Amino acid sequence: IVSYIAWNTFVGGMKTEHWFLIVLWITMFYVAEKTRKFILAFSIFIVYWIIYDSMRIIPNYEVSPVHIKQPYELEKSLFGIISGGVLLTPNEYFAIHHYPFLDILAGLFYINWVPIPLAFAAYLYVKDKYLFTKFSLVFLIVNIFGFIIYYIYPAAPPWYVQLYGFNLHIGIPGNSAGLSRFDKLIGAPIFQSIYNKNANVLAAMPSLHATYPLIVLFYGIKKGLKKMNLLFVIFMFGIWFSAVYASHHYIIDLIAGVILALILIFSFEKLSEKEFADKKIRNFVKRIS
């Protein structure tokens, strides 16, 4: 805790959400044994958030060249749609052809991008702490590898091209893009407030929006949830469609995210079969049980 405060104070700058996290963690750690075990278990997700939040300190565009035109042209060549005699990316097509029903649907899917995985994690924590630990670790590992790729291959999202073209503009804020239509329909700036705090704007590939629902579905299948897995399938395809429909990701971003998730899920599952890895997982389970 002291190191985290020092890091944010002298390097990143302390914000309200940082103090909230600190107070929450300390309170749950000391208030009771059950809350202590719960916050220790979910510290895996807290580590993810801390790493993500810290990315704002050293933006990826300061580490590697930003790719703007390359993903756009690749998307158009692979998935271009002819509309009015013009070849458009799917994002450009949906920016022209959008409907209130789909705007609401996309917003509802997108707003649950993180809550559904967290709710699923809470369910596993109660029902199956061993599977909870595996799910949580895979979630963290996929994010870490995704963040690393963001620094190796910074890529602009579709909405960036729509607003700024192929020129690089440093320090621009996040943008809710097509999700702004959802905000207007419900009369509340939900996505605007979320994307204004985006820690890394030029980080579209791989799409972590593609990975989260896939990880949930995989471990839902492992848990044998049956009917619930049907909802997870709908959630997954809903997120994937919404990402493209709202101009937050290209289809190639989604494909990259799916490939990343599948490689790391199956690599982790293979590794967890090893005696030393299984022992580490079970030791952690004992600490949170």
Side-chain angles (χ1 to χ4, degrees):
I1 294 296
V2 173
S3 299
Y4 181 62
I5 293 175
W7 166 259
N8 279 294
T9 300
F10 297 107
V11 181
M14 287 294 290
K15 295 184 177 181
T16 304
E17 55 264 32
H18 300 141
W19 286 116
F20 174 79
L21 178 63
I22 291 167
V23 171
L24 175 66
W25 197 93
I26 292 175
T27 301
M28 295 193 70
F29 188 82
Y30 288 107
V31 72
E33 184 179 358
K34 286 186 177 180
T35 58
R36 180 183 302 115
K37 291 178 178 179
F38 181 85
I39 199 62
L40 283 174
F42 275 80
S43 290
I44 297 174
F45 293 95
I46 293 174
V47 169
Y48 143 73
W49 185 84
I50 290 173
I51 295 173
Y52 173 78
D53 181 64
S54 298
M55 292 170 70
R56 62 191 167 85
I57 298 171
I58 304 177
N60 60 349
Y61 56 76
E62 293 184 358
V63 177
S64 303
V66 178
H67 299 81
I68 304 173
K69 191 172 184 179
Q70 185 182 60
Y72 171 84
E73 291 184 337
L74 179 59
E75 178 80 358
K76 183 178 284 188
S77 66
L78 293 175
F79 303 106
I81 300 171
I82 297 177
S83 178
V86 179
L87 184 64
L88 306 173
T89 66
N91 311 98
E92 291 172 329
Y93 178 84
F94 287 126
I96 299 171
H97 304 88
H98 54 82
Y99 308 94
F101 171 74
L102 291 179
D103 294 335
I104 291 293
L105 203 60
L108 292 175
F109 276 118
Y110 234 62
I111 205 168
N112 283 294
W113 169 54
V114 172
I116 292 296
L118 289 180
F120 180 62
Y123 167 81
L124 289 179
Y125 177 78
V126 174
K127 297 293 185 178
D128 190 335
K129 288 182 173 58
Y130 182 80
L131 205 59
F132 161 83
T133 303
K134 294 177 73 174
F135 168 77
S136 304
L137 288 173
V138 167
F139 182 89
L140 177 61
I141 292 168
V142 168
N143 275 285
I144 289 174
F145 273 84
F147 296 160
I148 291 171
I149 296 172
Y150 288 165
Y151 280 91
I152 296 173
Y153 188 88
W159 61 260
Y160 180 97
V161 175
Q162 294 169 14
L163 292 177
Y164 304 104
F166 301 123
N167 296 318
L168 178 61
H169 297 268
I170 300 300
I172 62 168
N175 193 286
S176 56
L179 295 172
S180 62
R181 298 191 294 267
F182 177 87
D183 286 353
K184 290 178 181 178
L185 287 169
I186 67 169
I190 294 176
F191 286 106
Q192 179 184 339
S193 61
I194 291 174
Y195 281 95
N196 280 348
K197 298 179 180 179
N198 192 351
N200 211 339
V201 174
L202 301 169
M205 183 185 289
S207 168
L208 294 179
H209 281 86
T211 67
Y212 290 10
L214 182 58
I215 298 170
V216 169
L217 177 60
F218 178 85
Y219 284 97
I221 293 172
K222 290 275 286 187
K223 185 59 181 173
L225 295 182
K226 297 180 181 179
K227 291 182 180 179
M228 184 59 69
N229 286 328
L230 178 59
L231 295 179
F232 288 156
V233 169
I234 295 172
F235 172 64
M236 181 177 70
F237 283 106
I239 287 287
W240 292 358
F241 169 77
S242 302
V244 177
Y245 178 77
S247 289
H248 280 272
H249 286 287
Y250 295 116
I251 295 175
I252 57 173
D253 299 337
L254 302 180
I255 293 172
V258 169
I259 292 173
L260 175 69
L262 290 176
I263 289 174
L264 294 177
I265 287 171
F266 288 109
S267 296
F268 179 86
E269 285 295 314
K270 191 69 176 177
L271 179 64
S272 67
E273 294 174 0
K274 305 292 184 181
E275 184 178 351
F276 78 93
D278 181 69
K279 185 177 180 180
K280 291 285 186 181
I281 294 172
R282 294 190 183 280
N283 285 339
F284 182 77
V285 170
K286 288 180 181 178
R287 291 186 63 190
I288 63 175
S289 297

